[in-house]
Amino acid sequence: MPLFRRTYHSYTDEALMQAIAQRHERAFAELYERYSTRMYRFFFRMLQRDAARAEDLTQELFLKIIEKPHLFNPEKRFKTWVYTLATNLCRNEFRRPPLPEPEPVDIWANELPDMPEPDWLETRLRQQITALPDAQRQCFVLRYQEGLTVPEIAEILDCPEGTVKSRLHHAIRQLRTQLAGTYF
Amino acid sequence: MLSIMLDKIEQLAKEKAFERLSNAEKALVLSMMPREEYDQIRRMLQTAEAMDASVVAPERLRARVMAQFPKSEGIKVNLWLALGILAMGWGMMWVVRPVVMQEKQVPVIQQKTDTVWVERIKWHEKVVYKTRLVPAPAPLPEPIALQPVPSNIIPAAPLYLPDPTTQQAIGTSLGDTPELMSFFTQGDQGK
């Protein structure tokens, strides 16, 4: 019966959160459509491509939104708030004992290709991003993979913008150093 | 200052290839690093951005999350159902509507009673003075001088002297002489 149903497509994220606080299920469905894949991908990247843990944390994130929508301040941006929740969930996950390391990929086992294949570069880059310190990896993922701005990242991580820029710069320099000497 | 320039260069590397930079931007980049390094950073950032782009949230996750959303406690009214019930009720009113009889209008006389104000007469005591004409009594005759009477003798003074003007005879009854009657009865009026 879509004729008289209210459509939430034109609602902002913040307006959707207000509707969710009033227990509008379809508002939550709309918010889930907008952010589910994005947040799942963020967890997937932050948790070393662990799909099961990414799925669990995504579910936990949306359950928090369901259970405590009143914690969201409508005067602030929802995008920043939801990334703050996700980052805190990742921090809690980092405190857990680490999972056994996956089998290392021996990229030198075979003869190097004449030109760096995109898949090869991606694999090598992923390994290096995983090897970054947590603080630098958070900044790098949020900035260059999730597309957030430096002020947004500073708000999410609750630190000065200069700190975020410094972490980004160190992350890039470390990644470039690690990838240098190959066909990069 | 250095961090600001590096931040600017990283932003440029994310957005533009070296060939598309303006002369000022090229000068800025080349002042900080060789072109190869700029190209490497750009390639690395592009690869990182496109990494895991095909990853999507599993469909089963949606079902699990949506199942956790609390159902609204209020009664959900299906609009079509409500409209149907209203239409049915309206139709039933037509079916079972009461037969309207032609009523004859009969004039009704109504008696109305107005308020009546009763004027009560307030009575006052009234003193009435009445006058009565009484005939003046005739002058008494001169007393007859009598002989001195000895003190030891009680003279037989007459208790009643007849009025010489009246022709009453001795031995007349009291009923025939009202003046005499009043003489005897005047002592009772003072009581």
Side-chain angles (χ1 to χ4, degrees):
Chain A
M1 195 177 60
L3 183 58
F4 296 105
R5 280 191 172 181
R6 186 186 300 175
T7 57
Y8 289 99
H9 297 294
S10 58
Y11 277 48
T12 62
D13 299 340
E14 292 75 21
L16 285 177
M17 279 303 293
Q18 289 184 337
I20 290 169
Q22 298 171 358
R23 297 300 179 207
H24 290 186
E25 186 176 2
R26 293 182 50 257
F28 178 74
E30 172 67 25
L31 193 77
Y32 181 86
E33 291 299 325
R34 292 184 191 179
Y35 281 91
S36 59
T37 292
R38 189 171 192 166
M39 302 317 297
Y40 175 78
R41 193 178 295 160
F42 172 71
F43 287 124
F44 187 77
R45 285 164 171 161
M46 290 296 293
L47 300 174
Q48 305 169 13
R49 296 174 62 83
D50 188 335
R53 288 165 73 194
E55 190 174 332
D56 289 345
L57 287 193
T58 307
Q59 180 177 346
E60 193 174 341
L61 174 71
F62 280 100
L63 289 184
K64 279 185 183 296
I65 294 174
I66 289 174
E67 292 167 358
K68 300 175 182 176
H70 57 277
L71 294 181
F72 171 66
N73 183 359
E75 295 176 357
K76 295 190 175 180
R77 293 188 63 196
F78 172 77
K79 183 179 171 186
T80 312
W81 182 70
V82 75
Y83 269 107
T84 305
L85 288 181
T87 307
N88 291 336
L89 286 173
C90 286
R91 282 178 186 157
N92 295 337
E93 196 69 16
F94 294 155
R95 293 194 186 105
R96 294 181 184 178
L99 295 174
E101 288 288 331
E103 286 291 326
V105 180
D106 187 4
I107 60 173
W108 307 109
N110 300 322
E111 187 179 351
L112 284 174
D114 294 337
M115 291 292 289
E117 295 290 334
D119 288 346
W120 179 87
L121 179 60
E122 189 176 317
T123 304
R124 184 92 174 111
L125 179 60
R126 184 175 294 121
Q127 288 178 343
Q128 296 305 322
I129 291 174
T130 306
L132 287 173
D134 288 340
Q136 291 182 18
R137 189 166 83 247
Q138 281 179 340
C139 290
F140 184 86
V141 170
L142 289 171
R143 178 74 183 97
Y144 295 114
Q145 293 191 298
E146 298 296 324
L148 301 182
T149 62
V150 171
E152 286 174 340
I153 297 170
E155 186 178 345
I156 290 168
L157 300 179
D158 195 20
C159 63
E161 292 184 21
T163 305
V164 175
K165 290 178 181 177
S166 174
R167 288 175 183 172
L168 286 172
H169 176 63
H170 283 96
I172 288 176
R173 192 175 62 181
Q174 183 170 342
L175 289 175
R176 198 187 64 80
T177 305
Q178 294 295 328
L179 295 174
T182 63
Y183 289 104
F184 180 72
Chain B
M1 186 64 183
L2 181 64
S3 65
I4 294 174
M5 292 174 67
L6 289 173
D7 184 50
K8 176 71 175 173
I9 291 172
E10 287 165 9
Q11 183 68 25
L12 288 174
K14 189 171 179 287
E15 295 173 352
K16 296 180 184 177
F18 187 82
E19 295 80 11
R20 299 184 62 185
L21 295 177
S22 65
N23 291 333
E25 290 169 341
K26 284 180 182 177
L28 174 66
V29 169
L30 293 176
S31 68
M32 296 298 298
M33 61 184 71
R35 177 181 173 173
E36 291 75 21
E37 188 176 335
Y38 179 86
D39 289 339
Q40 287 175 357
I41 292 174
R42 174 169 169 76
R43 198 179 309 148
M44 182 179 70
L45 295 181
Q46 282 183 326
T47 305
E49 189 175 5
M51 201 182 292
D52 304 321
S54 60
V55 173
V56 294
E59 191 60 30
R60 63 177 178 275
L61 179 61
R62 175 191 167 86
R64 283 211 307 268
V65 170
M66 293 304 295
Q68 298 295 322
F69 196 89
K71 301 300 177 187
S72 177
E73 294 178 357
I75 300 173
K76 285 187 175 179
V77 178
N78 190 320
L79 187 60
W80 290 113
L81 181 63
L83 288 175
I85 291 173
L86 281 176
M88 190 182 299
W90 191 68
M92 289 295 290
M93 283 179 59
W94 274 99
V95 172
V96 298
R97 72 182 191 279
V99 179
V100 179
M101 301 292 290
Q102 189 72 27
E103 293 183 353
K104 183 180 180 181
Q105 292 187 351
V106 178
V108 177
I109 299 175
Q110 293 183 345
Q111 290 185 345
K112 293 184 178 179
T113 304
D114 290 334
T115 305
V116 177
W117 295 89
V118 178
E119 292 185 359
R120 292 186 177 179
I121 299 172
K122 187 175 181 181
W123 294 97
H124 296 279
E125 291 186 355
K126 187 176 182 182
V127 179
V128 178
Y129 295 95
K130 292 184 179 180
T131 57
R132 189 180 60 170
L133 292 176
V134 177
L140 294 174
E142 286 292 329
I144 300 169
L146 299 176
Q147 291 295 328
V149 179
S151 59
N152 56 347
I153 299 172
I154 299 173
L159 295 176
Y160 172 71
L161 293 177
D163 192 355
T165 58
T166 60
Q167 300 296 324
Q168 293 174 347
I170 296 174
T172 306
S173 67
L174 291 175
D176 296 332
T177 55
E179 292 81 6
L180 187 58
M181 177 63 82
S182 64
F183 175 81
F184 285 109
T185 58
Q186 65 185 356
D188 297 334
Q189 292 177 354
K191 294 182 180 176

